C-alpha cells in the first residue's frame, strides 16, 4: 500500500507570487524634486499613515502573548525533552534495554544500565539523557523498536549548568497517569506510519 | 507685599517643577502605551496595575544607577550639559500661562510665574538656549556618534529657530503684543476668533517646526537610535541621562501649551470650562507627538535642511508679506 504525505509546494519562484514593483524614475533636476515633494504633500500620504496606526489602536486587536502566563500551542511532533512510555495493557515499561538508542545517539548523551530480573527478563535500571549535549535530533525515538523512547512537549529546560540530566523516573509515564489514559502516543519521529497495519502481511506458512 | 510676592513666586516655581517632572515621567508611560497599542502590543504591564508603576521603577533605576564619567570626556562640560537641557526647558515655562487666573480662599492666583511683556520671545529664546545641552554634551563626549549628533542638533535647531520665529511673526503682527496672556485674550471670543482660522499657514509651519525643536520623530535625527545610537546621550548614564529625558518631555509639554495658547484660543475667557479645554488641546498636541512617532518614518538630515530653507522659510516669509498687505488695507 502506498503512503503519500500531502505535499505543499513551497517553491515560490515557480508560482507567480513575485512581481516587479513600480519604481518611479528618480528626479534629477531641482524642479523635478520640488514637483515630487509637492505631489506627495498634496496626496496626503502622511494622513494614510496616521489613519492606519489609529485604526489599529481603535480595533485594539492585541497580539501580545504574556509568555510565562500564556503559552503558544506547540505541534504534536515537536521534539523536546524525552518521555519513556509504558505498555497500554499491562503497564510494563516498553523499553527492553536493547541499547539501540544509546548506540545511535550522535551526541553520545544517553547512558543506560540493565540487569536480568527474576523472570529472566531484561530490565532497565538506569536511563539518563544529558540534555546539555542532546541536540533533539530524534534518532533515538526513530530507532527504538518498541516505541519506548519518544519526544515530549516540555521545552522549558534551562539549567544552571551545562550538563543536566533527565533520568528514568522523570521520563517514565507514572502508573496513575497511564490508568487515567493520559499517556499519548507520539506522532513524530519513529511513529508508525498511518495505515501500516494494512501493509503487514501474514507470513505464509510454506513448510 | 514684596515678601508675599516672593513666596508666591517660589511656590509657583516649585509646583511647576514638581508637576512637570512628574508629567515627564507619565509622558514616557503614555508614549510606551500609545506606541504599543498602535503596534498591537500591550506595553508595560507587570509593575503595578496596567504597568502604571513602571514610571516609579524607572525613576528609582535612574536615581540609583552608577553615574559613569567615561575617560577622555571633557569632564566639567560633560557634567553640566544635561543640566542645561533640563534647566532651560523649565526656565522657558516661566512665561507660559498654564491656567486662567482663579481665586482661592480670597486670594487671586495667577498661574504664570512671570507675565512679562515679551513672553513668547522669552519662551522661544530660552528654548533655543536648550540647544547647548545636546551640542555641548555631544561634543564633550569623546564619541563619534555623539559628535555627529551635536553637529546635527546645532544645524537643525538653528535652522528651525528661523521657521518658528518667522511663522510667529504674522500672528504677532495681528495681536500687537508678545505677552502670551495678551495673545490669549485676543482670541477670547470663542472658537471663531482663534488665530488658527486667520493664520492657518503660520499654524502648520509652527507645528512642523515644533517637531524639530523638540527633536521628535519625523525630525528625530538628533538622537536617531538606528543610525547614531542615542546621539548625544550615548555616553550618559543614570540621572544625567534622565535629565536629558526630562528636558525633552518637558519641552514637548511646554511647546504644546504654546501652540494651544497662540493658535487655538488658549484658555479662552478664563472660566473653568476654558481651562479644561486648554488641557484637552495640550493633551491632543502631546498625543500627536506620539501618534506621528508610530506612523511616520524619519527624514534624512539633508532633506530636513532642504525642507527648512527651500520650502518652509519662503512660505513663512510669503505669509508675513501677505499678512502685512492685508493688514495695511
Ligand atoms: S534526540 Fe538525538 S541527541 Fe538527543 S538523545 Fe536522542 S539521539 Fe541523542
Ligand atoms: S532503543 Fe528503545 S527499547 Fe532499546 S534501549 Fe532504547 S529505549 Fe529501550
Amino acid at each position: 500500500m502506498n503512503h503519500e504525505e500531502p505535499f505543499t509546494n513551497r517553491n515560490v519562484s515557480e508560482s507567480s507570487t513575485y512581481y516587479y514593483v513600480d519604481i518611479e524614475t528618480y528626479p534629477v533636476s531641482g524642479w523635478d524634486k520640488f514637483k515630487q515633494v509637492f505631489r506627495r504633500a498634496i496626496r496626503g500620504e502622511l494622513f494614510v499613515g496616521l489613519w492606519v496606526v489609529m485604526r489599529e489602536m481603535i480595533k485594539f486587536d492585541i497580539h501580545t502573548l504574556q509568555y510565562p502566563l500564556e503559552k503558544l500551542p506547540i505541534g504534536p511532533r515537536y521534539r523536546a525533552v524525552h518521555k519513556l512510555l509504558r505498555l497500554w495493557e499491562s503497564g510494563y515499561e516498553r523499553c527492553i534495554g536493547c541499547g539501540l538508542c544509546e548506540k545511535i545517539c550522535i551526541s553520545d548523551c544517553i547512558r543506560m544500565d540493565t540487569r536480568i530480573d527474576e523472570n529472566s527478563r531484561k530490565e532497565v535500571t538506569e536511563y539518563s539523557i544529558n540534555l546539555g549535549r542532546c541536540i533533539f535530533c530524534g534518532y533515538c525515538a526513530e530507532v527504538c523498536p518498541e516505541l519506548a523512547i519518544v519526544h515530549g512537549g516540555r521545552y522549558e529546560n534551562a539549567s544552571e549548568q551545562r550538563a543536566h540530566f533527565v533520568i528514568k523516573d522523570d521520563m517514565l509515564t507514572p502508573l496513575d497517569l497511564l490508568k487515567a489514559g493520559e499517556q499519548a502516543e507520539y506522532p513524530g519521529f519513529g511513529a508508525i506510519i498511518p495505515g501500516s497495519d494494512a501493509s503487514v502481511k501474514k507470513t505464509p506458512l510454506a513448510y | 507685599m514684596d515678601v508675599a510676592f516672593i513666596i508666591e513666586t517660589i511656590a509657583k516655581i516649585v509646583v511647576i517643577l514638581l508637576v512637570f517632572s512628574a508629567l515627564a515621567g507619565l509622558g514616557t508611560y503614555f508614549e510606551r502605551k500609545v506606541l504599543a497599542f498602535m503596534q498591537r502590543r500591550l506595553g508595560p504591564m507587570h509593575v503595578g496595575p496596567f504597568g502604571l508603576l513602571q514610571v516609579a521603577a524607572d525613576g528609582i533605576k535612574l536615581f540609583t544607577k552608577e553615574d559613569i564619567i567615561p575617560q577622555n570626556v571633557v569632564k566639567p562640560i560633560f557634567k553640566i550639559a544635561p543640566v542645561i537641557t533640563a534647566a532651560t526647558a523649565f526656565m522657558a515655562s516661566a512665561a507660559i500661562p498654564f491656567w486662567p487666573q482663579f481665586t482661592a480662599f480670597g486670594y487671586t492666583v495667577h498661574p504664570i510665574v512671570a507675565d512679562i511683556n515679551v513672553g513668547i520671545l522669552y519662551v522661544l529664546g530660552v528654548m533655543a538656549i536648550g540647544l547647548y545641552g545636546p551640542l555641548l554634551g555631544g561634543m564633550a563626549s569623546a564619541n563619534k556618534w555623539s559628535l555627529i549628533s551635536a553637529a546635527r542638533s546645532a544645524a537643525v535647531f538653528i535652522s528651525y529657530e528661523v521657521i518658528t520665529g518667522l511663522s510667529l511673526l504674522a500672528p504677532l503682527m495681528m495681536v500687537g503684543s508678545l505677552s502670551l496672556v495678551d495673545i490669549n485674550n485676543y482670541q477670547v471670543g470663542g472658537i471663531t476668533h482663534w488665530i488658527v482660522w486667520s493664520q492657518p499657514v503660520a499654524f502648520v509651519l509652527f507645528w512642523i517646526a515644533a517637531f524639530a525643536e523638540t527633536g521628535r520623530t519625523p525630525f528625530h535625527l538628533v538622537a536617531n537610535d538606528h543610525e547614531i545610537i542615542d546621539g548625544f546621550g550615548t555616553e550618559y548614564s543614570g540621572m544625567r541621562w534622565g535629565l536629558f529625558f526630562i528636558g525633552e518631555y518637558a519641552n514637548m509639554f511646554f511647546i504644546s501649551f504654546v501652540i494651544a495658547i497662540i493658535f487655538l484660543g488658549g484658555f479662552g475667557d478664563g472660566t473653568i470650562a476654558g481651562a479644561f479645554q486648554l488641557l484637552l488641546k495640550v493633551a491632543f498636541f502631546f498625543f500627536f507627538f506620539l501618534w506621528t512617532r508610530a506612523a511616520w518614518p524619519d527624514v534624512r538630515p539633508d532633506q530636513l535642511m532642504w525642507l527648512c530653507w527651500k520650502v518652509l522659510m519662503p512660505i513663512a516669509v510669503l505669509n508675513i508679506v501677505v499678512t502685512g498687505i492685508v493688514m495695511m488695507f
Side-chain angles (χ1 to χ4, degrees):
Chain A
M1 200 74 52
N2 277 343
H3 170 72
E4 277 184 13
E5 292 269 331
F7 174 66
T8 324
N9 185 7
R10 295 194 177 83
N11 197 351
V12 274
S13 64
E14 285 176 3
S15 49
S16 57
T17 18
Y18 285 145
Y19 62 92
Y20 286 100
V21 189
D22 285 337
I23 298 176
E24 293 175 37
T25 45
Y26 287 110
V28 268
S29 66
W31 174 240
D32 284 344
K33 273 187 200 163
F34 182 79
K35 278 194 294 187
Q36 188 190 44
V37 168
F38 187 74
R39 206 169 50 239
R40 288 180 176 174
I42 292 297
R43 225 169 8 183
E45 284 165 348
L46 288 177
F47 296 97
V48 176
L50 285 181
W51 160 241
V52 167
V53 289
M54 181 49 95
R55 186 189 63 203
E56 293 306 321
M57 184 165 162
I58 294 168
K59 269 204 276 178
F60 207 69
D61 179 19
I62 303 293
H63 60 202
T64 299
L65 191 98
Q66 293 178 280
Y67 162 63
L69 309 177
E70 308 167 2
K71 285 178 188 170
L72 280 175
I74 57 170
R77 297 163 58 105
Y78 194 80
R79 302 200 299 272
V81 175
H82 307 70
K83 284 187 197 160
L84 280 169
L85 301 187
R86 285 182 188 270
L87 291 168
W88 284 103
E89 296 83 1
S90 59
Y92 282 146
E93 297 162 22
R94 287 188 192 178
C95 177
I96 52 172
C98 68
L100 281 176
C101 50
E102 190 183 24
K103 192 82 182 161
I104 202 169
C105 176
I106 49 174
S107 312
D108 215 2
C109 61
I110 298 181
R111 179 88 191 102
M112 58 193 299
D113 217 347
T114 53
R115 67 175 188 116
I116 308 289
D117 73 359
E118 302 77 43
N119 310 324
S120 293
R121 221 174 158 273
K122 204 167 178 189
E123 189 197 34
V124 182
T125 49
E126 305 283 345
Y127 193 109
S128 68
I129 299 180
N130 181 350
L131 294 181
R133 294 186 60 130
C134 174
I135 58 167
F136 301 98
C137 61
Y139 282 6
C140 50
E142 186 159 13
V143 80
C144 178
E146 301 293 316
L147 303 179
I149 182 119
V150 297
H151 283 288
R154 209 175 92 207
Y155 55 84
E156 287 152 321
N157 48 359
S159 88
E160 290 167 352
Q161 290 176 347
R162 200 149 49 142
H164 59 290
F165 299 86
V166 272
I167 54 173
K168 192 178 148 198
D169 292 344
D170 293 337
M171 291 187 283
L172 197 61
T173 315
L175 271 175
D176 49 338
L177 283 188
L178 180 80
K179 292 217 179 81
E182 303 271 308
Q183 175 176 282
E185 292 296 337
Y186 176 65
F189 261 117
I192 299 169
I193 297 167
S196 51
D197 274 356
S199 58
V200 176
K201 295 215 174 60
K202 270 189 187 157
T203 314
L205 292 174
Y207 51 90
Chain B
M1 159 60 200
D2 257 343
V3 176
F5 175 74
I6 289 173
I7 291 176
E8 190 195 330
T9 308
I10 289 177
K12 283 181 200 166
I13 291 173
V14 169
V15 167
I16 288 181
L17 271 178
L18 288 182
V19 167
F20 280 93
S21 302
L23 270 183
L26 273 181
T28 64
Y29 173 77
F30 283 121
E31 167 147 32
R32 286 191 217 174
K33 275 294 190 193
V34 167
L35 279 182
F37 292 156
M38 286 181 168
Q39 295 159 353
R40 297 172 61 199
R41 294 183 287 112
L42 277 174
M45 281 299 284
H46 292 293
V47 194
F50 303 106
L52 256 173
L53 293 181
Q54 185 71 45
V55 180
D58 285 349
I60 293 170
K61 182 195 77 178
L62 281 181
F63 267 108
T64 52
K65 239 181 166 177
E66 186 188 353
D67 175 27
I68 296 171
I69 311 286
Q71 266 186 347
N72 298 333
V73 302
V74 186
K75 285 201 180 65
I77 299 180
F78 183 84
K79 285 180 182 169
I80 203 72
V83 183
I84 298 178
T85 301
T88 51
F90 282 106
M91 275 157 62
S93 71
I96 300 177
F98 291 106
W99 195 262
Q101 67 182 53
F102 59 92
T103 313
F105 310 114
Y107 188 81
T108 309
V109 184
H110 302 267
I112 174 171
V113 177
D115 183 11
I116 44 179
N117 55 3
V118 289
I120 184 63
L121 207 59
Y122 168 80
V123 172
L124 293 182
V126 177
M127 273 191 180
I129 298 176
L131 149 73
Y132 283 104
L135 180 64
L136 295 181
M139 286 175 66
S141 276
N143 179 321
K144 296 291 183 288
W145 304 123
S146 307
L147 195 62
I148 294 175
S149 154
R152 284 184 180 184
S153 68
V156 169
F157 285 141
I158 290 174
S159 306
Y160 276 84
E161 280 305 317
V162 175
I163 308 298
T164 39
L166 288 181
S167 65
L168 274 187
L169 210 53
L172 292 182
M173 277 155 58
M174 290 169 53
V175 178
S177 165
L178 287 169
S179 161
L180 282 165
V181 177
D182 287 346
I183 296 174
N184 180 76
N185 293 341
Y186 178 85
Q187 317 169 65
V188 88
I191 195 166
T192 46
H193 288 66
W194 289 2
I195 291 183
V196 65
W197 306 125
S198 46
Q199 290 290 349
V201 179
F203 171 65
V204 173
L205 289 183
F206 189 80
W207 202 0
I208 292 176
F211 278 91
E213 295 282 315
T214 51
R216 294 300 299 183
T217 267
F219 305 150
H220 188 229
L221 46 93
V222 172
N224 222 350
D225 323 22
H226 50 261
E227 35 176 303
I228 51 172
I229 314 181
D230 197 28
F232 56 87
T234 308
E235 297 287 351
Y236 283 91
S237 59
M239 209 47 215
R240 285 188 206 282
W241 185 83
L243 279 179
F244 272 132
F245 212 68
I246 291 176
E248 183 186 335
Y249 277 80
N251 251 335
M252 280 162 67
F253 277 109
F254 295 143
I255 207 102
S256 303
F257 266 105
V258 170
I259 301 178
I261 289 171
I262 295 182
F263 291 101
L264 293 189
F267 45 75
D269 46 7
T271 55
I272 291 292
F276 277 102
Q277 273 175 34
L278 175 63
L279 294 191
L280 271 185
K281 292 165 199 166
V282 171
F284 168 75
F285 282 112
F286 186 78
F287 176 75
F288 198 82
F289 276 122
L290 313 182
W291 194 1
T292 54
R293 183 165 178 196
W296 292 348
D298 275 309
V299 298
R300 286 201 315 261
D302 64 312
Q303 291 171 329
L304 194 59
M305 290 294 123
W306 181 89
L307 183 71
C308 173
W309 292 108
K310 293 192 179 167
V311 182
L312 299 183
M313 200 193 67
I315 296 179
V317 173
L318 268 181
N319 188 39
I320 293 170
V321 172
V322 172
T323 310
I325 292 175
V326 170
M327 280 174 68
M328 217 155 58
F329 301 109

